[in-house]
Structure formats: C-alpha cells, structure tokens
Amino acid sequence: MTDHDVPLDFGDPADLDMLRRELRAWLTEHPLPRRRNGEPMAEFLHRWHRQLHSGGWVGLDVPERYGGRGLTALHQVAVSDELGACRAPGVPRIGYLAHALLEFCSEDQRARLLPRMLSGDDVWCQGFSEPGAGSDLAGMSTYARRSPDGGHYLINGQKLWTSYAQYSDYCLLLARTDRAAPAHSSITAFALPLNRAGVTVRPLRAANGDDEFCELFLDDVRVAVDERIGAEGDGWPLAMTTVNYERNALDTGHLSKYGLLLERLRRQLREHPDALPDGLVSAVGRCVVDYQVLVAHTRRRTAERLAGRPAGPESSVDKLLMTRAEQRLYETALAVLPEELHRDGGAVYGEYLYSRAASVYGGTSQIQRNIIAKRLLHLPSAS
Amino acid sequence: MEAEEFRLVREALRAFAADHRCDTAEVGQAERTTAQKSLDGLGLGELRRSTPPLASAQECALLAEEYGRQPLATSFLGTVLLAPEVLRLLAVTGRHAPYESRPTVALTRDLRFTGRYSDADHVAWDAEGAESALWIGDDGTVRALELGGPAPTTDLLRVVREAHPGTPDSVLGRLVPEQLQAWRAWALVMVSSELVGAAASFVEQSTAYARDRSQYGRPIGSFQAVRHLLADATVAVEACASATRYAAWCLDHAAPDTALAAARVAKAEVDVSAVEAVYAGMQVFGGIAQTWEHMAHLYLRRVRVGATVLTGTADLLTALALPPSGPHVVEAS
Ligand SMILES: Cc1cc2nc3c(=O)[nH]c(=O)nc-3n(C[C@H](O)[C@H](O)[C@H](O)COP(=O)(O)OP(=O)(O)OC[C@H]3O[C@@H](n4cnc5c(N)ncnc54)[C@H](O)[C@@H]3O)c2cc1C
C-alpha cells in the first residue's frame, strides 16, 4: 500500500441523483428508437446518438463551449448506467476521441470539430493499426510527406481494423512525418475527412457477421496543415492518451450490459434449479464476483479521479479486469443458456463471439501485461 | 478521522510492524507478549470503542491492510477489530452488561462463523493476549466462551485456542438482525483487508527480487514470462483492493444487507486472488521460497488459511448466485 491509499468517497455526489432522475424523465418522453428492418447497426446507433444529443446527454464531461455539459466523468458513467438499466443502446463511443482532441487540438480546431463530433453531425473513426503495425503501433509505415512549400501533406499507406470507417466522416489518422527519426517522435496525427480524393474504404466482415471494421487505403491523399492535430511528432502521445481512455474502466457502457445478462442467468438458476448441473451455480457466482468487483473497481477509479489523480498506465489493469469479467460471463452464459449456443445471429452468441475480441482490441492482453510490468512495476528491460 | 490523524495512526502501525515483523515461524512466547504489549500501546482499541466511533470502517480496513503487510505474531483482527465491534454494537442497543474481559472471537473448528449451537466444537481465533472468546449465534445471541489450550493451525503465526462454554453459561446480550448482518460484513471486510495487505506486500517483495536477481546474465524481471506473472499478480491484488475498500465504504454508508453483499464479493475475490498472487510471487522467488527460513511460507500460510476463515468460497459463490429473498434473512455464511 502506498501513501496514496487514503480513504476515498465511493459514493455518488449529491447532484448525480438529480441527473439520473432528469435522464429517466427525459427517456419516458423520448422513447427508444426501433431498429428498422435491414437498417445497419451503425446507422441505427447514429440515430440514437442524435436523439441523445438533442436532450443534452452526450459528452457530459466535455466543456460547455465545445458542446458538452462541463460536468465530470462520474456524470458520464451515470448516464451509461441509466441507459444500460433501461436496455437502451449504449452511449456513443466517442469519449476517448473527444479527450484526445481536447488535449491536442488548437483552440480553433476544438471549436470547429468537437461540437459536431458530440452532436453526431460528424462521425469519427480511429485509424491507428496497420497490416504491419498492430501491437507494435510505432512500426507504422503510412507516410505523410510535407509539400516543398510546406503548405500541405501527401499521405500514402494502408490502415486496418478501422472500426465503422464506412459510416464515418472523419478519421483520426496517425502517419509518419519523418522516416529517419525514432518512431515515437516521428508520428503525427491528422483529422482526415474520409470523402477526400485518394481515400478508399473497404469493409471487412467480422466473425459475428457484423460489418464493423474496415481496410482504409490512402493514395496520395492531400491534407492541409491546419488538418494536422498538434505539432509534428505529437501523434504518439496523442495515441497513448486515446488508448488510456479507451482502456479505462470509466469510459464504457459495458457494465450495465453485463449486469442485465447476469440477472438473466440468475433468473434461469432460480426458475430451473434442477435443469442445470451443480457446478454452474458456482460458475454464475464467480461471474457475479467478477462483475461486482468491476463495479467496485470503477467506483474506486472514479473516486481517485475526483480526488485529483490523473488517468495513467493503471488503465491496463482496468482493461484486464474488464476482459476477465466479459469473457467469463459469456462463456458461462452459453453453459447456463444452452439454447443460445446454437443460435447464430442471436444476441448472446454474437456478444459471445465479440467477447473473444476483448483481449485483442485496444491493445492485446499481453500488451497490457507488458505495460504493467514496465510502467507500474518498473521491471528492467531485456537490454 | 482527520486525514492527518489517519496518516499518523497508520505510520505508528507501520513502525510497530517494522519493529516486530517475524523472520521465522518460530516465535517465543516472551517475544509474542512483548510485541502484543507494544501493539496494545498504540491504543488502536479506542478506534471503535465509542458510538459514533473515532475511526470509520474504511479507515480500519486500511489499517488492517497495513497490518497484513508484515508477518506478525500479534493479534490485531480478533482482539482489536472483530470482538470489540461486537461489544460496541451490543452497547448501542443497551443490551449488554459491562464486560471487563479482553475477548477475541470464537469460530467453528474449521474457522467458520459460529452458528446455532454454542456447545458445539469451537476455537478462539487470533487469541494472542485474549482472555475469552465471543460466540455469536445465528439468532444474534452473544456468549462469552472460556479459553483452553492451543488448537492446531497451519497459520503458524496466528494463535488459535480451544474454547468452550463456561459454567454458568454467560450470555452477554443479543444483536438485532441488522446488527448481526453488519457485524458479519465487518468481519468479512477486516479479514479480507488483512489478506489484501499480505498479498500486496508479498507481490511487491517478489517484484523487487525480480529486479535484483540475475540469471543468464540479465535480471529475471526482464524475462517476459516473469513479467507477465507479476503483472497478473498485480491485477489480482488490485481487484482485491478495489472490492474490499468499496465494501468497507459500504459499511460506513450503506444498509447492512448491502454492506454484507459487498463484503461477500470482497471475500470471494480475495479467497481466490490473494492466494494466486502469493503463488505467483513464490514462483518468482524460485527455490529459495520453498525453504523453512524464507518468509514466503508465512505469507502462503496466512492467505491459504485466510481463504477459508469465516466462510468458504463455495458457500459464498452459491449465496451470490442465488441471493435469498426477503428483508430479514440472515444466513449463516
Ligand atoms: C473488434 C476490433 C476493433 C478494432 N478497432 C480498431 C480501430 O477502430 N482502429 C484501430 O486503429 N485499430 C482497431 N483494432 C485493432 C487492434 O488494436 C489490433 O488488432 C491490436 O492492437 C492487435 O494487433 P494485431 O491484430 O496486429 O495483432 P499482433 O500485434 O500481430 O499480435 C498477435 C499476437 O502476438 C502477441 N504479441 C504481439 N507483440 C507482443 C509482445 N511484444 N509481447 C507479447 N505478445 C505479443 C499479441 O498479444 C497477439 O496475441 C481493432 C481490433 C478489433 C479486434
């Protein structure tokens, strides 16, 4: 235990209850949208995003002048909670992008980009990974060459796994701006409009049948200097900020989704106690523990954040705990609800398949362990 | 407590632990007595004497974590945190005659919460310096048991003694159902906290070892297999810490049944993860951790027995998967 481990307030601040009630009231007046026949998931989610925004429920922790509400991460968590509890689709997954823009954009860019990101007028995706650069992101080869007069860049290369690029207007793109300099100081970030000449988006089908991620081909794509985010070389710290938020236990609407499935499993045990082998009661108990530990852990992180401790490499701990909870939960769900094991296209089976990706996206579980060993435990490196 | 006051109390406890930490499992009675006197001298017994108490549950839990970090042969949990809380709760309802003896808690012989029959087989747990043991029945009845000779235990630093009803049978009072829930939650949280401290400290010590020890001409902490082992142990410890600290906060701020549910989650996490974390640490130490002289087995013994103290994991998991219904159900675990 370090001296940082002082008593924390795990409770909700007083105004949070009001916010929750306000949101519940709003939800009764604005019923959840229905997914239309054949409507792609991403489009349905986009409609939902706009509806939420119209009520002021997007970007609660983003300052008001950029279209948010200037509240705290805790308020954002409460909104996720409430939406999950009434089985609404989650909050739009823009929190981590918004934080990266807040931290690295110029004032002019913030004012131009953030309000439209929050409102859903512009949909964003994240173009970091490449065929040759996954875990080793610094090994990316997409190259942005500055024009001789310095007025623009020409970008060439290929991105992979760019989620929802086919539905997006902008890509937060990382590219090398210097081939000679060390990787970590030669990567630069851009806000790339995807309708720009030279950009080709090709969707890939995921294991669960969804068309989530894409390949992105960049062929002499011309971007202006004021479309660059931060200075040349700021791309690496920007990427690290993004992934820290992405891995963070706070910025996800997963918790309430897990909670609902867990309730279903417990109901199954209660109502059909004899239909299932004994060991499954313990297995569900284990999932309850995982889930409640994650709830407690999230509250601890929130309390630490409110007490003034910034997000850092310990978000790798959060990500591993979340992965543990999710993968064990869906594994157990297929055992407790055997009919779901044979229902391809069903929600549970689809989410089960997606749970296998939890140890890959946002940095694999091995990479999270590497980060913990290096940045939290300060273990010596091989050289 | 004020933040500064808490810091000072924790520092005093830390200094005590540094002075009296055990390097081996063989501790003489004289040494134990001296250490216990020194611990008692810190006056931590006062923290929960009054109502409202001087220290919050969360503060007490953090102190239990601190205490758990070093191998110690004194009694902190039984005689300072668990039994006095029973007496405090009894005093709140005024159903209790003044009790002069210094008690620890009675548990069943397999170290579970006591249940229905006070004449069943019981032991006094964590009994260094104790003069009696409190038996707490499922209906809330609190009795004082008398102490007998030493009882077997594999946690060699922890004193466990035989305990049996005296003549005449001495009933001290009765906890109302909510108090019984609150006390069980309290006990689960404090025991869990001690184990969190033990696991965290042992993982830190094995991490330090991984930085120093070299094989193949490089520190073993540079091998990815070792790094990942320690990273996983760290995640396990963090999960335990989050769950127990949150449960401790619930003791201060939530209804007893909510606090008990959170305490069960914490104990269930700690039962598994604290043991796994110590296993990982031992693996990192290699052969040296398998010797009688090394402190590793002191930590292993503490967490391995600790994982069964008060309630077993199997019972906890069942209770968490199938929660009982009704507002006043207080189950044995
Ligand atoms: C559903 C999904 C959505 C995604 N969305 C996006 C997105 O929107 N934008 C984006 O940029 N990317 C996205 N990704 C990409 C994701 O970040 C990468 O897949 C991930 O970083 C791993 O890279 P890789 O697939 O190339 O695997 P590799 O890096 O090739 O890894 C293969 C295996 O080797 C292991 N490994 C690699 N290096 C090490 C090491 N140093 N030590 C130990 N083990 C190692 C890995 O753990 C893994 O098990 C998404 C991925 C998925 C699955």
Side-chain angles (χ1 to χ4, degrees), chain A residues 1 297 369-370 377 380, chain B residues 58 69 211 227-228 232 242:
Chain A
M1 173 162 39
H297 186 73
R369 292 182 177 103
N370 289 349
L377 302 182
Chain B
Q58 201 183 165
R69 293 177 59 84
R211 287 191 207 108
R227 297 164 80 87
H228 282 196
D232 283 339
S242 292

Side-chain angles (χ1 to χ4, degrees), chain A residues 1 3, chain B residues 1 3-21 35-45 47 62-64 66-67 70 72 74 76:
Chain A
M1 173 162 39
D3 289 320
Chain B
M1 247 189 254
E4 182 55 19
E5 205 182 344
F6 175 72
R7 205 178 58 77
L8 291 174
V9 171
R10 178 155 71 184
E11 256 166 33
L13 183 59
R14 196 173 288 173
F16 155 80
D19 283 350
H20 294 278
R21 80 187 295 276
Q36 191 66 47
K37 279 223 173 76
S38 157
L39 176 58
D40 294 344
L42 299 181
L44 300 176
L47 293 179
L62 287 172
L63 292 176
E66 184 65 48
Y67 179 85
Q70 306 294 342
L72 291 164
T74 39
F76 180 58

Side-chain angles (χ1 to χ4, degrees), chain A residues 1 3 5 7-11 266 281 285-286 289 293 297 299-300 324 366 369-370 377-378 380, chain B residues 10 14 58 62 66 69 204 211 222 224 227-228 232 238 242 245-246 249 269 272 317 320-321 323:
Chain A
M1 173 162 39
D3 289 320
D5 292 319
L8 289 172
D9 187 0
F10 287 82
R266 288 163 109 176
V281 176
R286 209 49 278 148
V289 173
V293 167
H297 186 73
R299 282 185 172 264
R300 174 175 162 210
R324 173 184 95 162
Q366 285 70 40
R369 292 182 177 103
N370 289 349
L377 302 182
H378 306 291
Chain B
R10 178 155 71 184
R14 196 173 288 173
Q58 201 183 165
L62 287 172
E66 184 65 48
R69 293 177 59 84
E204 284 165 30
R211 287 191 207 108
S222 68
Q224 195 175 51
R227 297 164 80 87
H228 282 196
D232 283 339
E238 290 297 305
S242 292
R245 292 178 194 174
Y246 173 64
W249 178 87
E269 179 65 41
V272 175
L317 293 184
L320 288 166

